[in-house]
Amino acid sequence: MTIAGAITGLLFAAAFYITVTRMIKGPSILDRMISTDVLLATMLCGFGGFIVVTGRTDLLPVMLALASLGFAGSVAVSRYVSRSESRTPVIGESRGTAKAHEHALSESNVPGRHQVGPLFASDAEAVVEHSAAEAHADGDVGEDVVELHDPAVHADESNGDENDR
Amino acid sequence: MIADILSGALLIGSAALSLAASIGLLRFPDLMSRLHAGSKPQILGLILMMLAISIQQFHWGVITTLLLIVTLQMVTTPVGTHMVGRAGYRTKYLRRSMLYRDELSDAVALAEERAAIEHERRQDG
């Protein structure tokens, strides 16, 4: 049992290190939220291993609390990672720098890419929709500073279904 | 003796599955693939771990608590990964070059059309 406990501990430690590597490397915040979820589930199994090796049962309510509440972080973060049109901008940031920042982060900014425009037919539809939405949003020309607006106020027109609230 | 060997083997299996989940999280190229890798092996690892604990501590209080833990984890993991996948699909984190088929774009386009019609109707009337 002690040998199995030692091997299990080494495997869990390796799993932790690799998940933290993804958390550091992950190019987006959603990658980091997934690795947080994986860390929580690994911690759950680690607590279970501790219970098996030492024979104590007072850690079971800890596992219960972890299992039932561990997902709230990723739900909260993904709730605020909504569309880029309705993202809350920084005060004083002008629309030009916001667009430049988005272009720098987007998928079309690949150095070796030669084809101008979308690669797939579904991308072509998305580009048409996006430019149509932007033509509506750029109604007031000449205003540089973007105001803060609450995404919860405009939540009913950003998604089609009502289950999203 | 047999119980010790069996629970030791289940323990190592659960740890190996957690390691597999984290290696998949590191090596998969896309956000959508990492969702699969990060959630599926963990549930099986948790079930194996629960079996190991219930072999060692064979009381009813322990076993019902373990069943509750597994049920709660099975209920909350799909919710979390679904929300992350939904947020990743609708923003710039989706890399369309990695997709073979996109079955959700039709439903999203339909929902957006319907929302636009509703918006116009609300503005008119």
Side-chain angles (χ1 to χ4, degrees), chain A residues 84-85 99 102 124-136:
Chain A
S84 44
E85 290 100 73
K99 279 209 184 117
E102 268 178 37
E125 295 157 7
V127 163
V128 164
E129 283 172 6
H130 189 70
S131 54
E134 277 203 338
H136 285 298

Side-chain angles (χ1 to χ4, degrees), chain A residues 5 16 21 25 29 36 54 57 59 76 102 106 120-121 128 135 150 155:
Chain A
F16 262 101
T21 306
K25 259 178 63 173
I29 190 171
T36 310
T54 60
T57 56
L59 290 173
E102 268 178 37
S106 72
F120 297 98
V128 164
D150 195 357

Side-chain angles (χ1 to χ4, degrees), chain A residues 113 117-129, chain B residues 96-97 102:
Chain A
R113 184 182 166 134
L119 289 170
F120 297 98
S122 54
D123 264 347
E125 295 157 7
V127 163
V128 164
E129 283 172 6
Chain B
R96 288 195 184 270
S97 53
D102 190 2

Side-chain angles (χ1 to χ4, degrees), chain A residues 12 20 28 36 43 50 52 90 95 98 104-105 113 119 131-132 154:
Chain A
F12 275 130
V20 169
S28 68
T36 310
M43 243 195 286
F50 192 67
V52 171
V90 179
R95 199 162 277 169
L105 289 177
R113 184 182 166 134
L119 289 170
S131 54
H154 296 278

Side-chain angles (χ1 to χ4, degrees), chain A residues 35-133:
Chain A
S35 37
T36 310
D37 264 350
V38 170
L39 271 183
L40 283 170
T42 310
M43 243 195 286
L44 208 54
C45 297
F47 272 121
F50 192 67
I51 288 174
V52 171
V53 167
T54 60
R56 50 193 292 182
T57 56
D58 56 354
L59 290 173
L60 281 174
V62 178
M63 292 177 70
L64 192 61
L66 261 182
S68 58
L69 298 173
F71 77 113
S74 49
V75 166
V77 168
S78 65
R79 193 85 175 83
Y80 282 102
V81 178
S82 55
R83 291 187 189 183
S84 44
E85 290 100 73
S86 59
R87 100 187 152 101
T88 313
V90 179
I91 297 177
E93 178 187 40
S94 69
R95 199 162 277 169
T97 59
K99 279 209 184 117
H101 185 63
E102 268 178 37
H103 175 71
L105 289 177
S106 72
E107 255 298 298
S108 51
N109 193 21
V110 175
R113 184 182 166 134
H114 297 293
Q115 175 176 359
V116 177
L119 289 170
F120 297 98
S122 54
D123 264 347
E125 295 157 7
V127 163
V128 164
E129 283 172 6
H130 189 70
S131 54

